[in-house]
Amino acid sequence: MQASCNVTARAQRLVQIPRGRHTITSAAGHYRNTTRTSLAAAERIEMFKSLEGWAADNVLPLLKPVEKCWQPQDFLPDPRLPAAEFAEEVRLLRERTAELSDEYFVVLVGDMVTEDALPTYETMINTFDGVRDETGASPSPWAVWNRAWTAEENRHGDLLRTFLYLSGRVDMRMVERTVQYLIGSGMDPGLENNPYLGFVYTSFQERATFISHGNTARLAKEGGDPVLARICGVIAADEKRHELAYTRIVEKLLELDPNGAVLAVADMMRRSITMPAHLMYDGRDPQLFQHYSAVAQRLGVYTAGDYADILEFLVGRWGLEKLGCGLDGEGRMAQEYVCGLAQRIRRLQERADERAKKMKKEAVEFSWIFDREVVL
Ligand SMILES: [Fe+2]
Ligand SMILES: [Fe+2]
């Protein structure tokens, strides 16, 4: 790390300490401030308009043609089979899940519910100035991307939902109720219609989902279900491709407007990255999201360490430590803050882990698994 990226005392004061024992998310009350990106909204719209040709050449190729995409049906029992053979496929599916734990299913349901709130995410991206779909079928490459990205993502929730339904391991009615509540609630990650913040957020999120689906794949394999491992694996691969697209957009912003872009990265991290399903509710547990996150943390599916790793990865991917000319004083402060943050999060997490070890373990009932208890 370059000397300029050491965390200064002032930058340290700007760190928002993640809340709670399981610090990967903050469900509400995140940092509020007007973003100090250097361009005004009108200039941003102009800029993204001028980048349409670039987006067509550099972002759209990261979509996969529908004909080359996997579909949920590729991984599920084939309903064209005679009833007895179909039932046999379902029986085998259930047999394969037998060794997977209740807590694994809690995490898989939480992941599926998160994927299923896709209408919220498409809406959120359509709030970004300069890239929103003005008609619903706009030919702008930004709008084309958003619709096709949504269509690719839509397969994730579909596949996980059908798998969970066939597994018989979860209370589908409670899962469905959670999805309805969540879509009804929306999300508020504090992006202020600003595509700079928006694409930093989506870069982070795609990598977070890549990591968590990769970990559910690994656990499925270890637990004796190679088909579920493949399911989670192909979803993770999509997330990786989407991460590439969003990080490429931020890379372009850093090239054209390094000061504005690094301020956006810093602003986003100061708010802390709120997970997309932070308003999750099943009608019973007001802390459902925190409880699901705690189980994901304990199983190693998505942890505070992953949060710091993602940040570190993005700092490297975007070459933030090397940004030199083009930054003013405020930009350099933002650079220092962002480049030192992962280390600081890790230190705070170590202390939180120490405290957590001394606390009594709590068990919570999850409606998704028929009110059985899971240790957090
Ligand atoms: Fe997804
Ligand atoms: Fe995604």
Side-chain angles (χ1 to χ4, degrees):
M1 184 176 289
Q2 293 181 342
S4 65
C5 287
N6 291 338
V7 183
T8 63
R10 188 169 160 214
Q12 280 184 358
R13 282 202 298 277
L14 296 173
V15 170
Q16 188 194 19
I17 299 169
R19 295 174 189 80
R21 181 149 59 102
H22 304 288
T23 57
I24 50 181
T25 51
S26 63
H30 46 62
Y31 178 98
R32 283 272 175 209
N33 195 4
T34 305
T35 305
R36 302 176 310 278
T37 48
S38 49
L39 300 181
E43 290 171 309
R44 279 201 303 264
I45 292 174
E46 209 43 56
M47 178 170 169
F48 277 88
K49 195 109 202 91
S50 74
L51 282 174
E52 285 187 352
W54 176 85
D57 293 341
N58 294 279
V59 181
L60 294 188
L62 292 170
L63 292 166
K64 236 179 168 177
V66 175
E67 293 308 316
K68 290 192 176 158
C69 279
W70 58 264
Q71 296 299 335
Q73 185 52 59
D74 302 339
F75 302 94
L76 295 165
D78 188 346
R80 294 172 303 180
L81 289 171
E85 287 173 49
F86 179 74
E88 175 60 10
E89 285 205 5
V90 175
R91 193 190 65 76
L92 290 170
L93 182 153
R94 290 183 174 205
E95 205 173 81
R96 285 192 302 267
T97 68
E99 297 303 312
L100 296 173
S101 63
D102 270 350
E103 52 214 31
Y104 179 85
F105 272 93
V106 164
V107 175
L108 200 62
V109 168
D111 290 356
M112 179 236 123
V113 166
T114 304
E115 293 285 351
D116 246 19
L118 189 59
T120 302
Y121 315 140
E122 185 177 27
T123 304
M124 182 197 69
I125 291 176
N126 273 330
T127 66
F128 301 167
D129 295 326
V131 300
R132 68 174 60 92
D133 188 338
E134 300 286 354
T135 66
S138 160
S140 146
W142 298 115
V144 170
W145 164 268
N146 192 25
R147 291 195 303 271
W149 169 82
T150 302
E152 285 192 2
E153 286 280 341
N154 190 51
R155 290 138 61 242
H156 302 173
D158 276 359
L159 176 51
L160 291 174
R161 168 193 278 263
T162 312
F163 182 89
L164 286 166
Y165 167 78
L166 291 171
S167 77
R169 294 286 303 271
V170 302
D171 185 337
M172 279 312 288
R173 194 163 196 289
M174 293 310 295
V175 174
E176 288 162 347
R177 203 158 106 162
T178 310
V179 171
Q180 187 175 356
Y181 268 120
L182 182 58
I183 295 176
S185 299
M187 70 186 287
D188 180 15
L191 305 181
E192 300 173 2
N193 305 346
N194 183 336
Y196 278 60
L197 296 178
F199 290 129
V200 171
Y201 180 81
T202 51
S203 295
F204 197 104
Q205 275 306 326
E206 294 291 1
R207 187 153 184 90
T209 48
F210 160 67
I211 288 170
S212 64
H213 289 305
N215 283 325
T216 51
R218 176 178 53 78
L219 292 175
K221 195 166 176 221
E222 288 167 10
D225 191 338
V227 178
L228 180 56
R230 272 186 70 209
I231 287 173
C232 297
V234 292
I235 295 174
D238 275 2
E239 310 292 12
K240 180 79 195 153
R241 194 159 39 78
H242 297 161
E243 172 206 309
L244 196 58
Y246 290 124
T247 53
R248 196 176 276 181
I249 296 169
V250 176
E251 187 181 33
K252 186 69 181 168
L253 296 178
L254 281 158
E255 179 195 316
L256 298 174
D257 177 16
N259 211 56
V262 78
L263 285 173
V265 177
D267 271 357
M268 208 56 246
M269 296 314 303
R270 279 190 195 106
R271 289 153 209 257
S272 83
I273 303 282
T274 309
M275 300 305 280
H278 66 105
L279 299 176
M280 185 185 278
Y281 182 53
D282 60 354
R284 291 194 195 161
D285 180 1
Q287 285 188 290
L288 179 60
F289 179 75
Q290 285 78 0
H291 291 154
Y292 146 67
S293 301
V295 180
Q297 161 103 9
R298 194 168 61 75
L299 293 194
V301 169
Y302 185 66
T303 68
D306 291 323
Y307 188 97
D309 287 350
I310 295 169
L311 173 58
E312 212 160 58
F313 170 86
L314 292 175
V315 166
R317 165 77 181 80
W318 292 328
L320 297 184
E321 294 182 357
K322 297 187 198 88
L323 283 181
C325 50
L327 296 190
D328 63 14
E330 211 179 3
R332 275 193 293 278
M333 281 293 297
Q335 178 190 35
E336 284 180 5
Y337 165 72
V338 167
C339 293
L341 184 57
Q343 228 178 349
R344 180 159 169 76
I345 291 171
R346 284 207 185 90
R347 276 202 303 272
L348 291 168
Q349 187 56 33
E350 275 166 28
R351 273 181 248 154
D353 286 346
E354 283 306 311
R355 281 197 303 275
K357 268 188 215 152
K358 291 175 196 144
M359 285 165 75
K360 205 170 151 266
K361 290 257 178 280
E362 196 187 342
V364 166
E365 282 180 5
F366 281 88
S367 68
W368 300 336
I369 49 165
F370 309 98
D371 295 328
R372 285 196 291 274
E373 280 194 350
V374 165
V375 175
L376 300 186

